[in-house]
Amino acid sequence: MVQWKRGRRPVLGGLLIIVITAFAGTACGTPPTTSVAPTAGGLDVPMPMMGGPRVDEASYLAEMIPHHEEAVAAATQLARSPRPEMRALGQRIVATQSVEIQQMTGWLATWYPRQPRPEYRPMMRDLSALSGDDLDRAFLTDMIPHHMSAVMMSQRVLIAGGPLHPEVLGFAGTVRDVQRSEIVLMRGYLTSWFPTSTGPGGMGPGGMGQGGMGQGGGWPR
């Protein structure tokens, strides 16, 4: 039977507050000049309030890199899944997010070379010892809230309208849209294959996820 690691705790209660208050710091490096304020929407993911603090894109990139790295590591485990749908999903996540990690790393090195790498507290459980249904169920249960946090992080960047490089603007929109569609797909898999595992809102028993992103839980994951 799959069990959660001891010492982890849900963060659903403070999720929206965390999203709103994150990225209040100032990035090092020269700020870009492009700014936008796109319309929020899509899925049933809570969106940050308008009129919040300006976005620090350096922190967004620095936080998103380890977030992506965790997703790639987890998706790699799906090569052992008995379901072709899950193996294909894992391959897609690994391919897409590996390229995005390279992009973000390059942007940070060019624009914000002094930006520190944040402390990252893992959200997803260790999948290496799991197989069969246990592997697929655990991956879906953990990756849905993991994706939801990336959607919220990226939407926060798009809504706040702080100074953004055009590359980051397009990147955030892509992350939001791609991972939002994958959430719908994974929810469908979880409901079809493991109907007793789903809780309110189609989430697994872990709710919106556990742990926090960055030192002090700066971003939800």
Side-chain angles (χ1 to χ4, degrees):
M1 180 178 68
V2 177
Q3 295 182 342
W4 291 96
K5 290 182 177 179
R6 297 183 61 184
R8 303 173 70 185
R9 55 187 177 82
V11 296
L12 179 58
L15 184 61
L16 185 56
I17 295 176
I18 293 173
V19 175
I20 295 173
T21 56
F23 285 168
T26 301
C28 55
T30 303
T33 57
T34 304
S35 64
V36 295
T39 303
L43 208 60
D44 53 345
V45 179
M47 294 304 170
M49 296 175 60
M50 297 296 289
R54 295 173 72 84
V55 170
D56 174 1
E57 72 173 9
S59 295
Y60 168 73
L61 295 172
E63 296 280 0
M64 190 66 82
I65 288 172
H67 189 266
H68 269 37
E69 290 173 341
E70 182 178 39
V72 168
T76 300
Q77 298 294 326
L78 292 183
R80 299 181 290 104
S81 172
R83 295 178 172 87
E85 299 94 334
M86 293 294 286
R87 294 195 298 271
L89 174 62
Q91 290 171 357
R92 185 163 62 249
I93 290 175
V94 170
T96 299
Q97 296 201 26
S98 294
V99 171
E100 291 175 343
I101 289 170
Q102 293 179 348
Q103 290 176 324
M104 291 186 288
T105 301
W107 292 334
L108 276 178
T110 301
W111 301 330
Y112 308 104
R114 293 179 294 170
Q115 179 69 20
R117 182 181 177 93
E119 179 183 347
Y120 185 83
R121 292 185 294 162
M123 171 184 180
M124 302 187 68
R125 75 193 88 181
D126 182 3
L127 303 177
S128 61
L130 303 180
S131 61
D133 283 354
D134 285 346
L135 171 61
D136 290 352
R137 183 189 298 110
F139 179 89
L140 293 170
T141 302
D142 287 3
M143 189 60 79
I144 289 173
H146 194 273
H147 267 34
M148 289 179 73
S149 72
V151 170
M152 288 187 287
M153 291 165 63
S154 299
Q155 186 67 27
R156 176 70 182 87
V157 170
L158 296 170
I159 288 178
L164 300 172
H165 285 89
E167 297 92 334
V168 175
L169 176 63
F171 174 85
T174 297
V175 169
R176 177 197 61 190
D177 296 343
V178 169
Q179 296 204 24
R180 190 164 55 189
S181 67
E182 290 177 346
I183 289 170
V184 174
L185 180 66
M186 290 189 290
R187 281 178 169 173
Y189 290 160
L190 193 62
T191 300
S192 297
W193 299 331
F194 312 108
T196 60
S197 298
T198 56
M203 301 301 298
M208 282 292 291
Q210 303 188 8
M213 187 171 183
Q215 188 172 5
W219 279 104
R221 298 180 305 104

